[in-house]
Amino acid sequence: MASFPIDHHSIALDLTKLNLCPKPLPHASDMLPFRLPVVFPRSLRTSSRLLSSLGSNRVDPNGSVLIETTTTPPEPSPDVTGGVQDVYGEDAATEDMPITPWSLSVASGYTLLRDPHHNKGLAFSQRERDAHYLRGLLPPTVISQDLQVKKMMHTLRHYQVPLQRYMAMMDLQETNERLFYKLLIENVEELLPVVYTPTVGEACQKYGSIFLRPQGLFISLKEKGKILEVLRNWPEKNIQVIVVTDGERILGLGDLGCQGMGIPVGKLSLYTALGGVRPSACLPVTIDVGTNNEKLLNDEFYIGLRQRRATGEEYSELMHEFMTAVKQNYGEKVVIQFEDFANHNAFDLLAKYGTTHLVFNDDIQGTASVVLAGLLAALKFVGGSLANHRFLFLGAGEAGTGIAELIALEISKKSQIPLEEARKNIWLVDSKGLIVSSRKESIQHFKKPWAHDHKPIKELVDAVKAIKPTVLIGTSGVGQTFTQEVVETMAELNEKPIILSLSNPTSQSECTAEQAYTWSKGRAIFASGSPFAPVEYEGKTFVPGQANNAYIFPGFGLGLIMSGTIRVHDDMLLAASEALAEQLMEEHYEKGMIFPPFRNIRKISARIAARVAAKAYELGLATRLPQPKELEKCAESSMYSPSYHSYR
Ligand SMILES: O=C([O-])CC(=O)C(=O)O
Ligand SMILES: [Mg+2]
């Protein structure tokens, strides 16, 4: 039995946590009268079993008990953009906690400094250093978390190579999680390109070489028959979101096998930083069924299975075991986000598990929702409704057909016309040319609804001339395919051509922001999947938007979680798009923007979450009852705060 060198006989019980989504308190100290001391019999006080039963699974036999308190709550701030106040003490209002609302974990001394969830580095106070056996293990200086942020940003800005910044950020995530999130939340525009696209793409390509500590859960063919056991090896039990990839189509970079792990890790960092979901509730997973990437197979530093990809039954059986184990282990309300699967599996998995699990395909549905939002906002510049526009896509995979379908759904609902009718103004070009009815027999099922009557056309530029689109959308995964001639033709056809180059990372973008503005003589309404800096053209500054699903999935997921939703419905995607488009203000339009700046992303995510949750309640898919009255406030107040807790 472990012994714990402490003399605390009470643990604070925060009654507000018994409420699933209590009203935000006007001041955190209002909570204090509700805190009850809970006294345990002496025999229980030293029992590691008791501690485990209270929700801690980090019992250190040599350690002391570390109790997080809210005795010095931070001043509540009225906004959520720069890290919210920790109203609930444990950032857990999205969590079902009917009986054990404790905040408790176990570590001390050296172990505490190496526990990323509790380490505060130089920010440990003198009192904490005494109480937790840290004296001598740290240099004497005590600094604030704000100063730590300043120092870290200073260090990061000195690195010239983006990959160095990525590695420094991953290192921070693995040593001091709260500091990592504070940095990311407070510097989101600067750091998003580091932990996310484009740098995460390069990180995945070089993952084998830069790999220091494993992050996330690796489930390979070797784990077949044991996936439930593997899930149980993960230290956190209360999982709310899983992002899973099989690495076959990482961004526009292709098959990166097991090294695709950078993507679920990055996406989940955004779930926390942008959407406020607690890091401990997030589980990144990579399914390794091999890779067809010869370069990786021959790379001595490759970290995955050294075999060609399993397909067919072998593949579906492993995926099925995974999906079944997830539901068995975490229940029905865990969000499973599919990420960067190749087309053929992505559509099949979504269709197969859409009726039994809470699944969401970010590349099909998240991308569709963000692009629809951008188009709704762009109407402000071009006028009319979506039904008055003609759309041409380069790329007919997950993103292309997903966006096309959501546009058609929105048009069909708004104009009250059948979906088939709404699809007629939407055209797609794939690697073989315009998708037309004469190709219907030979194309994949997800392309068939877009095979309209027209003579075959091979080249994109000829398709632009023939179809005369008002909106051109690139989802091809191939860089520099919107040539000067293509953009110029769009500009000849339209006073304000809408051009979206969505492929990631930057190297795969169909054209750059500068090309779009220059070739259209400053008339294009442009957005891209990966970020581009503002462009000066003839004395005017153009701010390109980042049409990236990062605007959608964090808030969307939060909406699902806070309402206890059990299935995703397309109407929730439409609700998310509308919520995002509504965030555009006059000041944004003046700069030609069709997406709001990322610096307000937590507010944006809360709005999206509220709208998604409201739709879920309306559709009868939400299980968390009764429905909170003020969903947006509920979303904001349930967001994770990266501020340090005080330990006693
Ligand atoms: O990760 C991103 O930046 C967007 C995305 O889902 C993709 O390109 O596959
Ligand atoms: Mg993706």
Side-chain angles (χ1 to χ4, degrees), residues 196 249 251 263 267 338-340 362-363 367 549:
Y196 192 59
R249 196 236 73 198
L251 308 176
I263 295 296
K267 292 271 174 186
F338 293 122
E339 196 69 54
D340 294 5
D362 190 34
D363 303 297
T367 306
N549 46 36

Side-chain angles (χ1 to χ4, degrees), residues 240-254:
Q240 294 176 318
V241 195
I242 293 173
V243 176
V244 57
T245 188
D246 72 355
E248 190 167 2
R249 196 236 73 198
I250 293 300
L251 308 176
L253 300 171

Side-chain angles (χ1 to χ4, degrees), residues 254-455:
D255 185 352
L256 298 184
C258 192
Q259 301 193 166
M261 181 56 104
I263 295 296
V265 167
K267 292 271 174 186
L268 284 163
S269 299
L270 269 47
Y271 257 102
T272 299
L274 279 50
V277 178
R278 287 170 302 117
S280 60
C282 298
L283 173 59
V285 176
T286 294
I287 305 279
D288 184 354
V289 294
T291 178
N292 295 341
N293 183 329
E294 290 298 333
K295 202 165 154 226
L296 289 179
L297 288 172
N298 294 320
D299 178 353
E300 62 175 325
F301 299 134
Y302 180 56
I303 57 170
L305 286 185
R306 240 166 250 276
Q307 64 169 75
R308 296 188 72 76
R309 279 188 179 272
T311 56
E313 247 174 53
E314 197 182 3
Y315 178 86
S316 357
E317 277 174 14
L318 193 76
M319 281 309 296
H320 193 67
E321 187 187 336
F322 169 70
M323 295 302 288
T324 311
V326 163
K327 196 159 160 180
Q328 189 174 340
N329 212 33
Y330 305 118
E332 184 126 31
K333 289 181 275 181
V334 59
V335 182
I336 305 171
Q337 175 164 320
F338 293 122
E339 196 69 54
D340 294 5
F341 284 77
N343 290 329
H344 55 116
N345 290 322
F347 289 105
D348 290 356
L349 288 168
L350 190 59
K352 182 166 175 189
Y353 295 104
T355 52
T356 54
H357 291 65
L358 182 60
V359 290
F360 168 70
N361 185 301
D362 190 34
D363 303 297
I364 302 173
Q365 299 171 298
T367 306
S369 185
V370 77
V371 171
L372 178 59
L375 293 173
L376 291 172
L379 291 177
K380 181 100 176 167
F381 296 103
V382 293
S385 70
L386 288 181
N388 307 122
H389 285 270
R390 239 182 343 276
F391 304 85
L392 182 67
F393 287 77
L394 177 64
E398 291 156 68
T401 61
I403 301 164
E405 191 63 23
L406 202 65
I407 294 173
L409 187 64
E410 172 80 2
I411 293 176
S412 145
K413 286 196 176 239
K414 289 279 148 68
S415 317
Q416 305 197 332
I417 56 168
L419 194 59
E420 294 70 44
E421 200 56 35
R423 286 186 183 130
K424 290 195 173 143
N425 262 343
I426 305 177
W427 297 80
L428 280 72
V429 170
D430 67 7
S431 58
K432 299 200 172 58
L434 190 65
I435 296 180
V436 290
S437 30
S438 56
R439 293 180 54 196
K440 206 157 185 171
E441 295 318 307
S442 62
I443 52 182
Q444 287 150 295
H445 65 90
F446 49 88
K447 298 182 182 176
K448 290 190 198 289
W450 311 102
H452 309 315
D453 289 338
H454 201 284
K455 69 173 177 22

Side-chain angles (χ1 to χ4, degrees), residues 62 313 418 468:
N62 305 312
E313 247 174 53
K468 300 188 173 36

Side-chain angles (χ1 to χ4, degrees), residues 156-173:
L156 283 174
R157 286 175 186 144
H158 268 89
Y159 293 131
Q160 296 302 317
V161 180
L163 198 59
Q164 280 179 316
R165 294 186 183 184
Y166 175 88
M167 289 169 70
M169 283 300 279
M170 289 305 106
D171 195 46
L172 184 61
Q173 190 172 26

